[in-house]
Amino acid sequence: MAKQTTEKKEKKENRLVRYFRGVRSEMRKVTWPSRQATTRLTGIVLAVTVTMSIALGLIDWVFSRLFALLLG
């Protein structure tokens, strides 16, 4: 009985170790962007986020004013 539990435990550990080894090998294949590219892309994302926030805020303001005029 003790042998079966140890074999099951070893199989689970082996699966876990195999999984993390696979993750590690896949991460080595990734082509990471340079610091300059990362900074540029982050700036673009922030600019689009701010622009869309302002646009959606204005649309919300316009619709709230329209509904206020229509309802009373």
Side-chain angles (χ1 to χ4, degrees), residues 14-32:
N14 284 337
R15 280 190 231 152
L16 190 61
V17 169
R18 225 177 319 138
Y19 170 75
F20 282 113
R21 284 186 181 156
V23 168
R24 187 175 178 193
S25 69
E26 289 298 321
M27 290 301 286
R28 287 182 178 161
K29 295 177 188 177
V30 173
T31 304
W32 297 101

Side-chain angles (χ1 to χ4, degrees), residues 14-70:
N14 284 337
R15 280 190 231 152
L16 190 61
V17 169
R18 225 177 319 138
Y19 170 75
F20 282 113
R21 284 186 181 156
V23 168
R24 187 175 178 193
S25 69
E26 289 298 321
M27 290 301 286
R28 287 182 178 161
K29 295 177 188 177
V30 173
T31 304
W32 297 101
S34 66
R35 180 177 295 269
Q36 183 182 11
T38 305
T39 304
R40 188 182 74 245
L41 292 172
T42 302
I44 291 169
V45 167
L46 290 175
V48 169
T49 302
V50 169
T51 304
M52 291 305 296
S53 297
I54 291 170
L56 289 173
L58 286 172
I59 291 169
D60 181 49
W61 182 77
V62 167
F63 277 116
S64 66
R65 291 294 178 172
L66 282 173
F67 283 125
L69 286 173
L70 289 174

